[in-house]
Amino acid sequence: MKVIDFNLPIKQLADQYDDFVPLMVKLGFTKIKIPGMLESVGRLVNLNKGCRAMGIDKDKVVATFRDHGFEVINHDN
């Protein structure tokens, strides 16, 4: 089972799942494609913080990952 934990650093999720970064870009997290961004900020920021910082609706993120076969946890923080 693929699990997206909103409390884990984005970098860790990207390393774990090949389809994570393309889904993030589709959702509007376009800065993830900037060279070095994932390696630096991605080590510190989790999805809860990232959604707040980018102004992206967390429910949309949850629904998208679920639609792509992920179990989503810790998104209600």
Side-chain angles (χ1 to χ4, degrees), residues 6-7 46-53 58 74-77:
F6 269 57
N7 288 331
N46 62 34
L47 277 171
N48 283 310
K49 291 178 186 174
C51 287
R52 279 193 303 273
K58 205 184 304 189
N74 295 321
H75 57 86
D76 51 355
N77 297 337

Side-chain angles (χ1 to χ4, degrees), residues 21-73:
V21 171
L23 286 173
M24 292 289 286
V25 172
K26 179 181 174 182
L27 285 162
F29 292 93
T30 55
K31 291 182 180 183
I32 201 169
K33 293 183 356 181
I34 297 172
M37 186 66 75
L38 187 58
E39 291 295 326
S40 58
V41 177
R43 293 183 185 279
L44 304 172
V45 175
N46 62 34
L47 277 171
N48 283 310
K49 291 178 186 174
C51 287
R52 279 193 303 273
M54 296 293 294
I56 296 175
D57 180 29
K58 205 184 304 189
D59 291 334
K60 180 180 174 185
V61 176
V62 170
T64 298
F65 279 108
R66 284 184 176 153
D67 288 346
H68 286 86
F70 289 88
E71 177 184 350
V72 181
I73 60 173

